Structures are given as structure tokens and as C-alpha cells.
Amino acid sequence: MEVADLLGLNPPTTENLLRVIHRRFKRDTVHTRLGPRHLLALNPYRPLRPDSTASPTPEQFIDDMRTRLMEGLETKQLLLPLGESGSGKSQVFLQALQTLASDKPQLIAGVNLLKILGNARTHGNEDASRFVLLVDLQLDFRGQVLAFAIQTYMLEKDVVTRRSGPNFHVFYGLLAGADPQLLKSLRLSRSADSYGILAPLPTSTNAQSGKETFEQIRLALFLHGLEERAFFQVLAFILKLGNIFFIPVTRMDGTAGLQLEPRTEFQEAADLFGIYTTCLESALLYEESGVIRDPIGAGALRDFLLRTIYARLFLFLSTKISPNTQAGSSGLVAILDFPGFQSVERNSFQELLLNLIGEKVQEVLVDGELKERQEEWIREGFKWVKVDTRANPPSVIHVLEQNGPLCGNRSDEEMVDLILDKSPAASRLGVDQFRIRHFAGTITYSKRNFQEKVDILPKSLVSAMFTATHPWVKEFFPEGGSGHLGGRPLRPLDHLHLFSHKLRSLTQLSLYTIHAIKPNELKVGGLFEGALVLHQLKYHRIMDTLIVTRDGFEISRDFERFLSRYRLLSLRTWPRWGGSPREGILLILNDLLIPQEMFFLGRTRLLLKTHLVSDLETFRRERLEDLALLIQKTWRGWGAFRRLKKMKAAQKLLVRVWRNYHKRRLDLAEAEGSRRKVAVGKIQRAYLQWKRKSFIGELITMDLPMSPVVWEWPQPSRCLRRGSQEIQRLFHRWRCSVYRFNFRDSAERNRMGEKVTASTLLRGKKASYPKSVAHPFLGDYVRLRVNSEWRKIAKQDATVVFADLVHKISHTSGKMTPYLLAVSTFSLMVLDPRTLALKQRIPLQEIAKFSLSPYADPFIVFHRIRYVR
């Protein structure tokens, strides 16, 4: 059966726990939850398969943690990655930081720079943290970072001059990633073998990682506005001064002396800081009293100077990276990273302190949280068999804390004797070694050079460093300008006490832990060493945490806070509750039908199971949506009613104003219309009078045609059209009368009468009529009247009105026959055109009518009376 959350482990035994973790590890499911506040993360040491994404990843765990913060369930949180060196704890720290502060590239780049400065390679870990890093993030309601603060503690500066193992990553990154021009300007060579403080890295080390380290350094310096050259000059100074060694010589006067070698390296190192060579050389070779130092003492002073410069560079950069404003108290997420438990080739006092830091974190935060939770249940009246969380045997750290003031001036032997006498966890092992049983295992320490021999820089050396022209060195040694050293600097034990004090303040935060587990010591993928994993599960107190979380109550809320947050879930406590908080809580839980085993109502606090809080938050979210909808509906209704009232008032005002305006406008328009009408009438009359005069003058000056058939007339204006037509009519009548008066005899007058008759009958009706108007009307077109033959045969038809040659169309065949048509005053006659023989005579009384087509054809049809129906 698949167990995604260890709270569902049944039965909750160590063997069953190990079996479940092993089964999930074989399926590349390396992350396993233990309630909402704990996550187990096994280091796979290889890329995971794509189908392993169903595993609860650290990103999901951190998102759930941030959701509780945004929803107001918690105001302060502490994310604590736990694990020994090589378990992937630092990777979990960086992963959490990138998840929470993805919108702050400056913060991520700055932390990467501190990691490069404070991490070093050990025989058990390629990227071991050698300092403590605490990052405080203040988040807003959306989960975005508003402010951040960075604090560092307990840098293991002995790594700088250890020479027996790899140094900090920053030196190897500079040599591997810098371009040739930069190395030439710093007087450095590419090979790490050229520098005494750098131990050679294994041949399997990837050169590309050094270049990536160098690019990360440059990016961080650029984002924080720090000068690259100044930073690299400090590193180059440490590398070059680390190559200096001291040779005893005999002077010409026979006295003993000390000489620096090689001089070129020393000169180049002094030039990097802009320090006078003689000043720095004198401070290294001579004591304050003027006595020359012995080679060992001078070498120890040189190493102490290098460690001091590096430690102050680290502090300087951590101060520059962290903004001046501290993160606020609301919406606070703190992430703590500290060196994992490990053993190096030669463990000194500095390694002891770093291992004790892990013990202190385990004791104060992990064990303290379990202890405080159980004590709270007992105080509230819950029947609980307490799980013992005391360290057995007591840690060495208690001895150092209790005897801290006495440890300041002790020798190595006295310090070791104090630890062996006061702590049951320490035991002697030979002459130069002793053993301490830590919470995570036993480590052997060396008595030789257990503590630093030099703990304060001489005044002459500090003054020499203060004379440097380098822009940062004066800030490294501010005491050089005051003329006094300003007291003894903090010793490692002092830093341990400061960190212990800071840990106690972190107990006020809600703790979330990610337990990083090493599946094997060889760091190879797919290998699961059960004994090693079981050992880590034990000192991580996974079983104790499982029992306390499963059988106890994960969440504790005081009555007022719970009632204030969840009173809206019951109609009997919402919107106001006047009774006691205890009664209100019972009403809420009873209305929601919460089982009794899911909560415990204590004396002053309410204890809740984890899943119950999730259900309550779901109910609260749904209730808030309903209330928001109600508020929205009420607000919209009130707003609509308010707008309606305003609209009605505005409508009345608009109507009143419009009516008044319309009335004034009508009055003004009426008055204006009256004035305009009067003005228009006057203008119109004057204009018409002018147009009439102009038109009459134009007619007078024009040479109008006197012919009755010519209708040429000037085009009048529209307003004079009727008058122009009347004048034209009168003018036409007058010229017609003039035309008639000019006739000389009655024959011309008769022909005109005929023309007028033809015009009356045919004008506008016959298409060929306009062409015939110009021809004079003769009547006798064949001169029949003067024909002698006609006169002989004509009797009563002698008076010929019309005579002309025509073609008669046969009724039957349609054949056309030429004839002479003659019309007299009494009849219509059809004659032979040659002989004038009478073919047909029709009296005019028998002709009813004649017909013409409207076209331009020459046909005419006569209708006799006998054919009229």
C-alpha cells in the first residue's frame, strides 16, 4: 500500500518506516511528507525519472507553507533544512529561497555569492557550507517579497590557510573563470598549484563549474553595484601573500634577522592594496617592541592576517548585500542554513564549533519544539505520555556555554581537559586526540593546534593596512585610523554564544523542517544503505515526530483567536457573540459536526488535528465566498437604489431646466422669427423689384425676333417665371398681330389661315410635321386649275382646293397605283394622271374623317360615311 504521508503509517514502527522509505526510493519517489510541517528528502544523487513528479516536492511543501502565511493562519515561520554534510541540505535551502524569492534576483545572486565565499570542498562533500546563513523574508498578502535581511555567523575562516585541504570555492572560480586580461592585471596564473594556500582539486573536477562560479560572482557584484576589480584584488592579495614564507638570516653585524621570500610576490601583493612595501614588511617581521619575530610566529601572523582579511571581506559583502531595512515582523519567513555534521581530515576547535551548531539547532529548535508542544498538552489537561527528547549524554556545547568566560585564555591542553572533565560525551583517545559523541555520531579531534595562536592583530599591522589605497581595505580595518585597536575581537566562542541567542529568538516562529537524508556514503544513484538511513532517521527524531504528530495535536490556538477567525461558520455565533469564548467554540464545532477525537478543548487553548484545520479553512473559504456574495449583492442593491434616487432627482431637474430653456428658446425664436419675417419680406420685395427691373431692362435691350415661329426668349429667374410667361404671351400676340397686319392681300391671309389650321391639327401629332412647316402651302401642286382639259370636264368642281399626285393602295392586293387626287369645294376626286379621266368621285358630305399615323410616313386614310359604324 502506497503511503504518501507517514502519518498514515500503520503500524508506526521503525522497521515499517524504513521499509516504506526504501520502497519509495526504488521508484525514485525521494520525497515523503510527515504531516504539514515535515518533509523527508532523500538525495537521489542522479536525475529523477519524469514519472516521479508525483512525489511531494520541496516546492509544493514550501507553497503550502506560504499559503498558510497568506491566509493568516500564521504570521511568522521558520524553514529549517536538516541533514549532515553531503545530504543535499544546502541545495534544499537554495531551492526554497528560489521558490519564495523568485521575484528578487538580487537576493538570490547575493546568497549565491555568499555561498561561493563560504562553501568549500571536503572529502565527504563537494559543496560543504562552512558558515551559518539566516535569511529573513517579509511577504505581502500575495506571497511576494517586500523586504529581506541576511545574517551570517560562524564563518570557518581557518579554511583560508589550512593548506591541507581544498580552499573556498571563490579562489578556484577566479582562477578557472577569469579571462587572461584580468589574470594578467592581477598578476595571477591560471594554475591553482602556484599558490600555497590552495590545495589541488581532484582531477575529476569539472572545469566548467569554475567558469560558472566566476559568472555567478560577476552577476552578484553587478546586481549589487559592487566593483569587480576591488573584489578580485582582495582575493589576489590573499593568494599572493599566502605564498610568502620567512627565512631566518644572519645580518652583517652578526645579529639574527628575518627575510621575506619571494620578494616579487610580496611586492605585487602590496601593490594590489596600494600599501608601502616597507610598512607592511616591518609590521610582519617585527613585534611592537621592535624585537624581530621568529619564522613560526611571523607565519602564524601572516595566516591570521589572511583569515582576518577574508572574514572581513565576507562580513563586508554580507552587509552590502543585505539592505539597511530589516524585514518586518508580519508575514515573516526565516530560512536557516548551517554546516552539516561532518568530520574532516584533522578536526580542530573550529570543526568542533561547527558540529556543535548542528547540535544546538537540534536541541533548541527540533527537540525544543517537540518538548514545548507536549508540555503544552499536559498543561491544557490532555492525557499524554510524554516522549523524552533530552540529549543523552548532554552535549559538549553546555560545557562551553557554562564555562565560556573561563575559556578565553586557556591553552589547547587546558581547553581539552575542561571538555573531558565536564562533559560525559567526551573521552580521551591517545596523547594527541580525544573523542566526542555528538547527536549524529562520534568524531575524533586533534589536540595539536586546537585553537588559534593569534587572536588579535598588532597595531602596526592594522595601521599598515589602513594606509592602503584600495577602496575597501580602509573599511576592513577602521580601527587603524583611530590609533587604538578598539578592544579584543570576538572569539569563536563569542560567535557561538551570539548564534545561540539568535536561535532562542527563532523558537517564537512556526517551525517547518525538511529532513535531508543521505541514502549512501558513496554518493551514487540507486544505492540505499538501510543502516545509514536508519541512523539518520533516529537522530532526526523522525519516529518521535511521527508519534507526536499522529497521536497528538499539531495545531494549538487560543480561544479568542479561534473564535475570531471561525465564528462566521455558525449562525449562532455570527455576526456577534456575546457569550464566553469556550461556549462559542463548542457551538461552532457542534454545528460543523466535528468528531470529538479531532480536537481537545483545554483550559486556555484549543488543540486541533492537522486535517481539521484544513477542513475548517475550506469551510471558512466557502463561507467567505457566500458572505462576499451577500455583501456584493447588498452593496450593488444599495448602489443601484442610490443611483436611482439620483437619477430621479436629476431627471426632475433636467425636465424643469429643459422646459424653462425650451420656453425661453421658443419665445426668443418667436421674437426672432417675427423680426426675420419682416426683414425677409423687405429683402424679398427689394430683391424681386430689382430682378424685375433687371429682367425688363434685359428685354428692352435684346433684339427679340418678330417671327411668330421663332420662340427665342431670355431665361428668367424662378421668381419671375410666371411674369416672364405672361410677357412672352403678350409679346407673341403682339408680333402675330404685326405679322398679320403686314399681309398684302387676302390670298396670303388665307394661306396663313390654312397653315394655322394645319398646325392646330398636326403639331405634336405627326412626326413629319416640323419638316413641312417651312414649305409654303400652294394647294394645287400639279397646276390643275390652269389645265385646259380639266376646265373642259370640270363643272361644279372647277374650284380646286388641293391637287397632287398620290398612290392608291388596293384593298385586296395591297398594290400601289399612281393617281391624281383632287379636292374641290364639293368633292374628293380620283383622276387618271395622264388623261384626267375621273376614276372616282366622293362628295365631301360622305367623308366622315381622315386618319394619319403619328410617324413620318406619307399615308392618309379617308373614311366614308357608309363605313362609319
Side-chain angles (χ1 to χ4, degrees):
M1 179 180 179
E2 183 66 22
V3 178
D5 194 327
L6 293 179
L7 293 180
L9 188 65
N10 189 23
T13 61
T14 305
E15 294 76 11
N16 199 15
L17 171 64
L18 185 63
R19 184 166 52 253
V20 169
I21 295 176
H22 187 197
R23 186 185 304 119
R24 291 172 64 85
F25 180 78
K26 288 192 295 184
R27 292 197 297 268
D28 278 355
T29 309
V30 297
H31 301 103
T32 307
R33 286 228 181 185
L34 200 166
R37 297 181 181 272
H38 303 275
L39 178 70
L40 270 66
L42 273 71
N43 195 335
Y45 296 121
R46 66 177 181 183
L48 298 177
R49 296 196 308 266
D51 57 353
S52 63
T53 55
S55 173
T57 61
E59 290 87 349
Q60 298 172 356
F61 179 77
I62 294 167
D63 286 338
D64 294 343
M65 180 185 76
R66 180 168 49 185
T67 301
R68 295 187 187 93
L69 188 73
M70 290 186 294
E71 290 179 349
L73 294 176
E74 297 165 347
T75 57
K76 301 177 184 179
Q77 296 174 336
L78 172 62
L79 180 61
L80 181 63
L82 293 174
E84 60 184 60
S85 182
S87 62
K89 176 173 58 63
S90 295
Q91 284 72 17
V92 170
F93 170 84
L94 293 176
Q95 199 172 5
L97 189 65
Q98 291 173 355
T99 302
L100 292 171
S102 58
D103 58 334
K104 293 292 182 181
Q106 284 186 335
L107 171 61
I108 296 175
V111 170
N112 287 334
L113 178 60
L114 293 179
K115 283 287 186 180
I116 294 171
L117 285 165
N119 288 13
R121 186 187 186 101
T122 63
H123 76 281
N125 189 0
E126 295 181 356
D127 190 26
S129 297
R130 311 314 296 161
F131 72 106
V132 179
L133 177 60
L134 177 64
V135 179
D136 293 335
L137 304 176
Q138 184 182 0
L139 308 183
D140 60 8
F141 67 96
R142 298 171 300 176
Q144 304 294 324
V145 177
L146 294 177
F148 63 89
I150 298 176
Q151 302 175 55
T152 58
Y153 302 90
M154 301 292 294
L155 174 67
E156 189 184 1
K157 56 186 178 180
D158 290 353
V159 176
V160 178
T161 57
R162 176 174 292 164
R163 292 181 173 84
S164 61
N167 213 311
F168 289 113
H169 293 329
V170 66
F171 295 108
Y172 301 101
L174 170 61
L175 298 180
D179 55 83
Q181 291 79 7
L182 178 59
L183 291 178
K184 183 178 179 181
S185 65
L186 298 175
R187 308 292 177 86
L188 297 176
S189 63
R190 182 76 67 182
S191 176
D193 298 336
S194 303
Y195 303 99
I197 64 173
L198 299 183
L201 295 177
T203 56
S204 60
T205 303
N206 187 5
Q208 186 65 26
S209 63
K211 296 180 181 180
E212 293 175 356
T213 299
F214 182 77
E215 293 300 326
Q216 289 179 358
I217 295 172
R218 294 189 60 192
L219 176 61
L221 295 175
F222 171 75
L223 292 178
H224 291 278
L226 298 173
E227 186 180 351
E228 286 186 15
R229 184 169 181 80
F231 174 77
F232 294 131
Q233 282 177 340
V234 176
L235 300 180
F237 178 86
I238 295 174
L239 291 174
K240 286 189 168 294
L241 196 62
N243 283 347
I244 303 301
F245 56 91
F246 302 91
I247 303 175
V249 295
T250 303
R251 300 174 181 171
M252 296 181 63
D253 58 358
T255 60
L258 199 62
Q259 182 177 338
L260 288 170
E261 292 294 341
R263 299 290 303 181
T264 305
E265 292 276 12
F266 182 72
Q267 181 65 47
E268 291 175 353
D271 292 342
L272 288 170
F273 273 7
I275 303 175
Y276 290 107
T277 307
T278 55
C279 183
L280 180 59
E281 182 179 5
S282 175
L284 289 173
L285 297 181
Y286 295 93
E287 297 181 358
E288 298 292 331
S289 60
V291 178
I292 194 167
R293 302 180 188 275
D294 61 276
I296 297 177
L301 180 60
R302 173 206 58 199
D303 291 347
F304 185 68
L305 174 62
L306 297 181
R307 293 194 295 268
T308 302
I309 293 175
Y310 192 84
R312 296 190 180 185
L313 170 67
F314 186 82
L315 180 62
F316 171 80
L317 291 176
S318 63
T319 304
K320 293 294 183 181
I321 290 172
S322 181
N324 295 328
T325 56
Q326 295 292 324
S329 58
S330 60
L332 176 67
V333 177
I335 312 175
L336 179 63
D337 183 39
F338 58 93
F341 180 78
Q342 70 171 353
S343 174
V344 296
E345 185 176 350
R346 192 188 70 84
N347 299 293
S348 63
F349 185 62
Q350 192 72 31
E351 281 74 26
L352 173 62
L353 293 181
L354 292 180
N355 287 329
L356 292 179
I357 286 174
E359 289 194 6
K360 193 65 178 179
V361 171
Q362 180 76 21
E363 175 189 349
V364 176
L365 297 180
V366 181
D367 296 346
E369 197 264 346
L370 287 175
K371 177 182 177 182
E372 176 61 28
R373 195 188 305 176
Q374 295 179 90
E375 290 178 350
E376 182 185 36
W377 298 344
I378 296 174
R379 287 196 304 270
E380 294 299 324
F382 180 66
K383 294 181 180 180
W384 174 258
V385 179
K386 190 174 181 181
V387 177
D388 190 11
T389 58
R390 293 177 298 175
N392 189 25
S395 173
V396 177
I397 196 170
H398 297 289
V399 177
L400 298 179
E401 288 179 344
Q402 294 170 4
N403 299 274
L406 303 177
C407 298
N409 300 318
R410 291 178 181 268
S411 64
D412 292 345
E413 193 69 31
E414 292 173 341
M415 177 65 74
V416 173
D417 290 340
L418 174 65
I419 294 174
L420 293 173
D421 294 340
K422 299 292 185 179
S423 175
S427 60
R428 195 179 302 274
L429 186 66
V431 179
D432 295 333
Q433 295 179 337
F434 65 99
R435 182 179 296 167
I436 296 179
R437 284 179 293 167
H438 295 281
F439 77 105
T442 302
I443 294 182
T444 301
Y445 296 90
S446 175
K447 293 182 182 180
R448 188 176 304 170
N449 297 327
F450 189 61
Q451 302 182 86
E452 285 187 351
K453 301 304 180 184
V454 182
D455 61 355
I456 187 170
L457 288 173
K459 179 179 177 181
S460 59
L461 187 55
V462 173
S463 300
M465 300 304 297
F466 190 76
T467 61
T469 59
H470 190 280
W472 292 358
V473 176
K474 286 184 182 294
E475 296 187 46
F476 293 170
F477 299 93
E479 65 271 22
S482 60
H484 58 85
L485 298 182
R488 181 183 65 83
L490 295 177
R491 293 190 175 97
L493 275 178
D494 300 326
H495 289 286
L496 181 62
H497 296 329
L498 289 176
F499 179 67
S500 298
H501 179 72
K502 183 63 179 180
L503 278 182
R504 296 187 187 94
S505 66
L506 295 179
T507 57
Q508 306 300 320
L509 280 64
S510 300
L511 180 63
Y512 290 81
T513 56
I514 299 179
H515 303 269
I517 306 295
K518 286 198 306 185
N520 59 79
E521 288 286 1
L522 301 178
K523 297 183 176 60
V524 296
L527 179 59
F528 187 89
E529 297 179 0
L532 176 63
V533 174
L534 182 60
H535 173 68
Q536 295 176 80
L537 294 176
K538 286 182 178 180
Y539 74 73
H540 277 273
R541 297 192 181 276
I542 299 300
M543 282 304 302
D544 295 341
T545 303
L546 173 60
I547 293 173
V548 171
T549 305
R550 191 194 67 165
D551 298 338
F553 299 93
E554 183 75 13
I555 308 300
S556 174
R557 295 285 185 270
D558 60 76
F559 291 163
E560 292 290 346
R561 181 181 175 186
F562 182 89
L563 184 62
S564 175
R565 185 171 183 83
Y566 299 109
R567 66 178 181 178
L568 52 82
L569 298 180
S570 175
L571 296 178
R572 292 187 286 180
T573 57
W574 176 261
R576 296 181 183 86
W577 172 249
S580 66
R582 190 183 187 91
E583 295 175 354
I585 292 173
L586 287 175
L587 289 177
I588 294 173
L589 297 176
N590 291 333
D591 290 348
L592 295 176
L593 304 177
I594 304 298
Q596 183 67 35
E597 61 272 10
M598 296 297 293
F599 67 92
F600 179 78
L601 199 61
R603 297 185 178 92
T604 60
R605 301 181 70 84
L606 176 65
L607 306 180
L608 302 169
K609 294 286 187 181
T610 304
H611 301 299
L612 177 57
V613 175
S614 302
D615 295 341
L616 289 175
E617 285 299 314
T618 302
F619 297 153
R620 183 176 183 271
R621 193 178 302 111
E622 295 174 354
R623 178 60 174 161
L624 284 175
E625 293 177 357
D626 295 340
L627 292 176
L629 182 61
L630 178 61
I631 293 172
Q632 189 179 34
K633 289 165 54 178
T634 305
W635 169 259
R636 287 181 176 177
W638 177 80
F641 177 72
R642 186 178 181 184
R643 286 194 299 272
L644 179 61
K645 291 180 63 177
K646 289 183 178 180
M647 290 173 64
K648 285 185 176 180
Q651 180 195 16
K652 293 179 180 179
L653 178 62
L654 287 174
V655 169
R656 185 169 65 252
V657 172
W658 169 253
R659 287 176 177 174
N660 294 336
Y661 166 76
H662 189 59
K663 185 176 182 301
R664 290 196 304 270
R665 187 176 179 183
L666 290 178
D667 295 342
L668 291 174
E670 185 176 358
E672 183 68 20
S674 301
R675 290 194 297 269
R676 287 183 179 181
K677 285 181 180 180
V678 174
V680 167
K682 292 181 179 180
I683 294 172
Q684 189 175 19
R685 287 193 296 271
Y687 176 75
L688 291 175
Q689 187 68 21
W690 172 76
K691 291 295 286 185
R692 291 190 189 104
K693 289 182 179 180
S694 299
F695 185 69
I696 296 298
E698 184 180 0
L699 291 177
I700 293 174
T701 58
M702 284 183 65
D703 186 13
L704 297 175
M706 294 300 293
S707 175
V709 296
V710 178
W711 292 94
E712 182 179 347
W713 190 258
Q715 184 68 26
S717 300
R718 188 173 60 178
C719 59
L720 300 178
R721 191 171 298 167
R722 291 181 60 188
S724 174
Q725 293 174 355
E726 185 65 22
I727 294 174
Q728 186 179 12
R729 185 181 64 79
L730 295 175
F731 173 76
H732 181 67
R733 290 183 64 183
W734 173 75
R735 71 180 178 180
C736 288
S737 63
V738 171
Y739 184 80
R740 290 192 301 272
F741 181 77
N742 290 332
F743 287 150
R744 289 172 293 183
D745 51 17
S746 59
E748 292 181 358
R749 189 176 292 109
N750 291 335
R751 283 195 297 273
M752 177 55 62
E754 294 170 352
K755 282 282 187 180
V756 170
T757 303
S759 175
T760 303
L761 293 175
L762 302 177
R763 183 181 178 183
K765 299 178 181 179
K766 186 66 176 176
S768 60
Y769 171 75
K771 295 180 180 180
S772 65
V773 173
H775 297 286
F777 185 73
L778 300 178
D780 187 3
Y781 292 95
V782 294
R783 300 180 63 85
L784 185 63
R785 296 191 189 107
V786 297
N787 193 312
S788 59
E789 293 296 329
W790 168 255
R791 287 180 179 181
K792 293 177 180 180
I793 62 176
K795 296 178 181 179
Q796 59 179 358
D797 297 318
T799 305
V800 177
V801 179
F802 174 84
D804 198 1
L805 293 173
V806 297
H807 289 82
K808 182 181 178 184
I809 300 174
S810 174
H811 289 102
T812 58
S813 63
K815 183 178 179 181
M816 299 176 63
T817 305
Y819 285 102
L820 177 63
L821 177 66
V823 179
S824 67
T825 55
F826 293 101
S827 64
L828 184 148
M829 295 166 287
V830 181
L831 307 175
D832 185 276
R834 290 190 297 247
T835 62
L836 299 179
L838 181 63
K839 297 294 183 181
Q840 187 177 3
R841 182 179 182 276
I842 303 172
L844 294 180
Q845 292 81 3
E846 294 181 8
I847 297 176
K849 60 180 179 179
F850 65 90
S851 299
L852 298 172
S853 72
Y855 307 108
D857 56 82
F859 298 109
I860 184 170
V861 178
F862 292 97
H863 301 270
R864 299 182 66 174
I865 291 176
R866 64 174 176 266
Y867 295 114
V868 176
R869 296 179 181 179

